[in-house]
Amino acid sequence: MFSKILIANRGEIAVRIIRACKEMGILTVAVFSEADRDALHVSLADESVCIGPAPVKDSYLNMTEILSAAVVTGAQAIHPGYGLLSENALFAERCRQCGIVFIGPSPEVISQMGDKDMARKTMKAAGVPVVPGCDVLSSVEEGRAEAEKIGFPLLIKARAGGGGKGIRRVDSLEEFDAAYLAAYAEAESSFGDGACYLEKYLFPVKHIEMQLLCDRFGGIVCLGERECSIQRKNQKMIEESPSVAVTPQIREKMMEASVKVAKAVGYEGLGTVEFLMDQGGNFYFMEMNTRLQVEHPVTEMVTGIDLVKWQIRVAAGLPLGFEQKDVELRGCAIECRINAENPMENFRPSCGKITLLHIPGGPWVRFDTAVYQDYFVPPFYDSMIGKLIVHAQTREEALRKMQAALCELVLEGIDNNSELQMDILSDKDFISGDYYTDFMAKRG
């Protein structure tokens, strides 16, 4: 087992990883930008190193500074969290060159699954159903021709990156050129790779993802599904496990498909296979996230398995301590992302000093965050400042528990989206489970 791990991230996920390491007896190194000097993850870690100015390109994406910090402090491994460098194959390769373990899959697998076009081809070859579409386009002219074959509506999707960037919906041929150029430019700016491909736009659909944990000895367990259909501009807002729409029969088929995905690429570590599922229960591979997911706590709640600890153990070369037959989904868990933004002003990001903070409590209520009383939320980073998670024996009870927890949450000094989350939880379609990825768009 590692004796010291560097966490190449910030915010709530850095805090989450540091806490797991402390419980495992592992020393931690935090890295921070000049804007994060007073951040909680810096205070909680055993050591901390400043890696640059506030902009992420100069700090949290600065591979050389991060690797230098790891070498200087004697860290044996780097945990990338999610976002930032977590799915960067070059960073994983540079860790390998420095003799530092990257807590995640190999650079080769990250490249293979990060290239969504290549991932589609791999899944088709493995017998996993994929959304109808085409391969990477070489020009807007080729795109128009493929679009007419696929039919409208369709999605233009970047082959690289994630987070909803480089995606455009197109409803007619007249819209295609402008949408393609916009998607290409956004992908080029965000990921340094503007290549795009097309997929049939399926609707109405649910966004269902399966959590996998794989060791290097061929051990694979699937830890059930999460439903992530409440999204705004392809950014998830609420996640729950299990999904109301996934029957035991569908779950078994999805789990079999997910295991096929892992075997097809020789996957090691924690990973998530994302599917789109239509009203008939037909599901299609969308992509694989080769990292820890933001919404991992709902899986931890229903399985009782600490995903971060097992991610670290597997990276250290330990075998899984359990098999598929040992995994049991108990009750229902729901997560609401708490963002520093104003939904009444087109979700304008908010920053500033938190003047009053009260965190909800009670049995099976969890708030993953890095904010504290009088903390100044900087303007340079993602707007998510916390995740409120609850667990109960039934979905109905979990909904009431989440509503109670949101009512108890007090976060003053900055704008936040907790009232919007309350509205969503009170919506009849959400309560019934009969909601799809267009839920937020239909609300206007």
Side-chain angles (χ1 to χ4, degrees), residues 184-372:
Y184 185 97
E186 186 175 54
E188 180 70 33
S189 172
S190 301
F191 317 124
D193 180 359
C196 295
Y197 63 97
L198 307 182
E199 279 187 351
K200 180 70 176 173
Y201 179 66
L202 303 176
F203 66 97
V205 290
K206 285 181 169 289
H207 185 141
I208 308 291
E209 58 188 30
M210 281 284 176
Q211 180 69 67
L212 290 172
L213 182 59
C214 313
D215 65 24
R216 64 182 59 172
F217 307 102
I220 302 173
V221 291
C222 187
L223 302 175
E225 82 276 2
R226 298 184 289 255
E227 171 149 2
C228 311
S229 301
I230 301 295
Q231 304 177 6
R232 176 182 172 271
K233 295 187 175 179
N234 300 302
Q235 295 281 355
K236 300 167 187 173
M237 297 175 64
I238 298 179
E239 301 94 358
E240 62 177 313
S241 180
S243 168
V244 176
V246 176
T247 64
Q249 293 77 21
I250 294 173
R251 181 176 298 115
E252 186 175 347
K253 290 179 180 178
M254 273 193 174
M255 290 171 66
E256 289 174 358
S258 300
V259 170
K260 282 184 180 179
V261 172
K263 288 182 175 178
V265 296
Y267 198 84
E268 292 179 18
L270 201 63
T272 300
V273 184
E274 304 205 352
F275 297 99
L276 294 178
M277 187 179 81
D278 65 23
Q279 290 175 303
N282 304 300
F283 58 88
Y284 306 90
F285 171 85
M286 185 169 58
E287 63 184 24
M288 184 176 192
N289 288 311
T290 55
R291 55 170 167 79
L292 185 68
Q293 293 277 89
V294 175
E295 57 273 19
H296 75 273
V298 294
T299 297
E300 293 182 325
M301 289 287 211
V302 297
T303 62
I305 295 170
D306 188 315
L307 297 186
V308 176
K309 286 183 181 178
W310 274 108
Q311 186 183 24
I312 293 169
R313 290 177 185 130
V314 166
L318 299 179
L320 291 176
F322 54 96
E323 299 175 6
Q324 189 65 56
K325 63 181 176 61
D326 302 316
V327 177
E328 183 180 351
L329 304 183
R330 300 184 182 91
C332 175
I334 301 173
E335 173 181 289
C336 286
R337 300 191 187 193
I338 306 301
N339 297 335
E341 61 190 14
N342 190 332
M344 301 302 292
E345 296 184 16
N346 197 30
F347 295 85
R348 175 179 54 82
S350 179
C351 62
K353 182 180 177 181
I354 295 177
T355 56
L356 182 61
L357 175 65
H358 173 74
I359 293 174
W364 300 286
V365 175
R366 169 176 166 182
F367 190 54
D368 284 16
T369 188
V371 302
Y372 53 84

Side-chain angles (χ1 to χ4, degrees), residues 363-390:
W364 300 286
V365 175
R366 169 176 166 182
F367 190 54
D368 284 16
T369 188
V371 302
Y372 53 84
Q373 182 76 37
D374 297 328
Y375 174 70
F376 187 91
V377 177
F380 308 105
Y381 309 114
D382 186 86
S383 65
M384 192 184 77
I385 55 172
K387 304 179 310 199
L388 185 57
I389 311 106
V390 302

